[in-house]
Amino acid sequence: MTFKTTLGSLLLGAATIGFTMPAAADQLEDIKAAGKIVTATDMHYAPFDMLNNGTYEGMTKDLFDEVAKEIGVEPVYQDIPWTAELPGLEVGKFDIVIAPVTITPERLERYSFTPPIADATVALVKAAGNDEMTAPEDIAGKTVGVQQGTAQFRQLQAYGETLGGVDVKEYGTTDEAYADLATGRLDAVAGSLPNLTYLVKNRPETFAKFEPAQFGEPTYFAWVLRREEESETLLAAIEDAMAKMTEDGRVEAIQTKWLGSYTELPATAPGQ
């Protein structure tokens, strides 16, 4: 029997028994089959994510509880250090990163983003009663804390270079940076405007925002999925859920509860 004959016989046999290739995996179908969606976040990033006497709460949880309800599954929340979240997502340790992740051109090339959940423009906070620094440019030559591995860290570095230099000190969490600012080890802390607004609102005796507080280009926070065909249906389901929540007022109510006001946000991730 020749090779051609053998190959022909195999193809004929496959056709006879109705041979088909297995369908591509679908993340949304897998999640619905399991009845749960596994998430990762850093529970030390108020007002989005925080632990209150061991209980997870915050704006992120309130939003994602509603999204999971719309999808029809139970959310599983995991407290993961920020620097381990995106690498863990890539290797499939969880379905989605719900820590507020700043949308950047570099990240858009590598990940899929949900619709924005908040403004993420970088801003500055100082110790209450510090009258030596008022505007952002006053941090020139000062020591400024920021969470490591964040877009705010990169924006602070770039801004510091335009001022002739800023001593940037990195922290694993924003809480650690705030503690050092309160004890005088730092001159200022850089972070997203919503985080710093919440901080000053709850601790006005200790912290104050710069005026103006923001610097750099306007940016947004969103959640992150793997950038692959299998995740497209999950992204579409989250977009549909958030559109419904925006239309019926749930997004506005949750924003107002945690941030004190409502900001209308794009329906999809800008640039995606």
Side-chain angles (χ1 to χ4, degrees):
M1 181 181 290
T2 65
F3 173 76
K4 182 182 292 187
T5 303
T6 303
L7 179 60
S9 299
L10 288 172
L11 292 174
L12 179 61
T16 302
I17 62 174
F19 175 81
T20 58
M21 293 296 290
D26 183 281
Q27 191 180 10
L28 180 60
E29 288 184 2
D30 291 344
I31 286 170
K32 287 188 172 183
K36 62 183 181 181
I37 182 167
V38 181
T39 76
T41 192
D42 178 354
M43 298 180 185
H44 307 275
Y45 203 63
F48 296 97
D49 304 272
M50 52 194 144
L51 290 172
N52 185 4
N53 295 321
T55 299
Y56 174 46
E57 62 180 30
M59 180 174 154
T60 297
K61 182 179 185 299
D62 284 0
L63 283 171
F64 202 78
D65 277 350
E66 295 300 316
V67 168
K69 187 186 302 181
E70 290 296 326
I71 295 175
V73 296
E74 290 295 321
V76 176
Y77 296 115
Q78 297 184 108
D79 187 9
I80 306 292
W82 160 243
T83 52
E85 290 178 22
L86 295 180
L89 176 71
E90 291 185 15
V91 298
K93 288 187 176 181
F94 20 83
D95 298 309
I96 184 172
V97 169
I98 60 168
V101 180
T102 305
I103 302 170
T104 66
E106 296 79 15
R107 288 174 178 162
L108 284 167
E109 293 179 359
R110 192 164 184 173
Y111 307 103
S112 290
F113 281 84
T114 67
I117 63 167
D119 183 350
T121 305
V122 66
L124 290 163
V125 68
K126 60 183 180 178
N130 182 345
D131 297 325
E132 295 181 6
M133 297 186 298
T134 55
E137 56 265 26
D138 293 336
I139 64 172
K142 304 294 186 179
T143 303
V144 183
V146 67
Q147 187 176 16
Q148 64 185 12
T150 61
Q152 287 72 33
F153 165 70
R154 292 191 294 276
Q155 291 177 72
L156 175 62
Q157 278 190 317
Y159 183 61
E161 291 174 1
T162 70
L163 300 176
V166 170
D167 182 12
V168 178
K169 187 173 181 182
E170 299 177 67
Y171 289 84
T173 70
T174 53
D175 288 343
E176 294 169 338
Y178 300 152
D180 272 5
L181 178 59
T183 56
R185 297 188 182 93
L186 295 173
D187 297 302
V189 169
S192 76
L193 182 62
N195 297 84
L196 301 187
T197 299
Y198 180 85
L199 175 71
V200 172
K201 175 185 175 183
N202 287 276
R203 300 177 64 182
E205 73 288 349
T206 307
F207 303 108
K209 287 191 296 183
F210 282 58
E211 294 296 341
Q214 295 163 281
F215 63 90
E217 294 296 321
T219 54
Y220 294 99
F221 279 137
W223 301 325
V224 182
L225 298 168
R226 287 183 288 278
R227 192 175 186 84
E228 57 188 17
E229 184 178 352
E230 291 83 354
S231 298
E232 290 178 0
T233 52
L234 176 58
L235 176 59
I238 293 172
E239 289 176 343
D240 290 345
M242 294 184 72
K244 181 178 179 180
M245 292 160 54
T246 299
E247 180 68 23
D248 64 24
R250 278 178 285 173
V251 169
E252 180 175 359
I254 292 169
Q255 273 196 34
T256 303
K257 171 184 174 181
W258 292 104
L259 303 180
S261 61
Y262 172 62
T263 300
E264 187 173 350
L265 299 168
T268 58
Q272 184 160 270

